[in-house]
Amino acid sequence: MQFKDKVAVITGGARGIGKCIAEQFAAEGALCEVIDIRDGNHYVGNIASRQTLEQFAAYVLEKHGRVDYLINNALPITKGIDQCTYEEFRYALDVGVTAPFYLTKLFAPHFAQGAAVVNIASSRDRMSQPQTESYTAAKGGISALTHALAVSLAGRVRVNSISPGWIDTDYTEYTGPDAAQQPAGRVGNPLDIANMVLYLCSDKAGFITGENICIDGGMTRLMVYHGDHGWHLDGQE
């Protein structure tokens, strides 16, 4: 119960990685406040809205008076340059970058001693597939925002980010090429991320701030050329 009675705020915590993070915090005694756009037994709201962010922050502070941990996890949309509209791109940045910044700003005077912020970025902050510009820009933005906040909040709040790779939220066990393409030999699951979130919020990580930790089974470290290890570019033999 290392987080007993600590207040943990998780955005996008109704399912997937966010839900797992909330469950792990709760299992360690934390008081969790989740906001998500989906209906459920949590604060329901769209964090792309400034009004929603202000109302949610007021709700948390009225209820608890402080925040110990803020986990910015909510997922921006994934659309690429061919299909993504101006409004959709703005929405992705609102959810993925503006909301984490503004929530941190709203909570800044109310962070408890030893507080920590953990931003969930993505390995897409350093590599891309075609047609992912909205998502990739948002994740690149939150990675950069992390070290800026860490410097601005130095001595008050530690701020770090995690860049997940392929995380299967249904805990599917993949075999064959899907597993073999990752040096760890498997696809990740939400616990791989939640465990690091809790570590970064713990006293054990007291000397870590401004860092981005990539949890991707080593996938972004593997150099792949056409013909290596049986991999072939489409249309070539």
Side-chain angles (χ1 to χ4, degrees), residues 1 8 26 40 65 74 88 90 118 138 142 180 190-191 195 212 216 221 232:
M1 304 293 283
E88 287 170 331
R90 284 283 302 271
V118 180
I142 200 171
L191 275 171
N195 288 336
N212 177 285
D216 69 342
R221 297 302 190 189
H232 297 278

Side-chain angles (χ1 to χ4, degrees), residues 35-88:
I35 182 170
D36 200 291
I37 198 170
R38 301 170 186 84
D39 290 334
N41 188 27
H42 52 261
Y43 193 101
V44 177
N46 184 350
I47 65 168
S49 161
R50 174 180 177 176
Q51 183 180 29
T52 296
L53 293 172
E54 292 173 348
Q55 291 173 343
F56 175 62
Y59 163 81
V60 171
L61 294 172
E62 181 178 358
K63 187 174 179 180
H64 301 286
R66 74 180 197 284
V67 171
D68 293 282
Y69 313 116
L70 171 61
I71 316 302
N72 291 304
N73 166 78
L75 191 67
I77 61 173
T78 304
K79 280 196 171 185
I81 192 167
D82 289 352
Q83 300 296 328
C84 189
T85 66
Y86 178 87
E87 291 76 16
E88 287 170 331

